[in-house]
Amino acid sequence: QVQLVESGGGLVQPGGSLRLSCAASGRIHAIYTMAWYRQAPGEQRELAATVTGGGSTSYADSVRGRFAISKDNAKNTVYLQMNNLKPEDTAVYYCYADLRTTWGQRNDYWGQGTQVTVSS
């Protein structure tokens, strides 16, 4: 069994910052890609940022220059540093991992989501 547990969401004023964390635990053999998705009310889930096993990162145009994704391989944890937050960043943020378990299965895994609200 594999679990992704997110933390760090909350309410912040426009222009503020938040840092999200997502720890993967369980019978993990290898993690290939981790990412943060987000879903605003009434909208489809969209990809915000990705980090590969090799450390390459990519960002949606809407967050590039404001968000930074990073990972700690020893802790199987991915972070999302969000700066200069805007009201349109309000969404539930989901952690994603493409990984292989110690049983040899490769699957997609999702966290439960953490709410980020940007409002004055």
Side-chain angles (χ1 to χ4, degrees), residues 7-107:
S7 60
L11 173 64
V12 63
Q13 292 186 342
S17 299
L18 280 176
R19 189 191 194 209
L20 305 182
S21 300
C22 171
S25 63
R27 298 183 178 274
I28 298 169
H29 173 69
I31 299 178
Y32 300 105
T33 298
M34 296 191 82
W36 289 96
Y37 285 73
R38 65 184 186 178
Q39 187 167 19
E43 302 290 332
Q44 290 188 334
R45 190 173 298 188
E46 64 173 6
L47 177 63
T50 301
V51 59
T52 68
S56 299
T57 59
S58 61
Y59 299 92
D61 289 342
S62 57
V63 308
R64 187 176 293 112
R66 300 186 298 118
F67 290 11
I69 189 170
S70 62
K71 65 187 178 77
D72 184 331
N73 291 329
K75 296 180 179 180
N76 286 338
T77 298
V78 64
Y79 305 96
L80 186 67
Q81 178 66 44
M82 304 184 293
N83 299 324
N84 189 22
L85 282 160
K86 304 175 180 180
E88 51 264 42
D89 294 317
T90 295
V92 177
Y93 284 70
Y94 295 92
C95 177
Y96 161 87
D98 169 14
L99 61 84
R100 188 180 300 278
T101 68
T102 56
W103 292 314
Q105 293 177 317
R106 182 172 179 172
N107 282 313

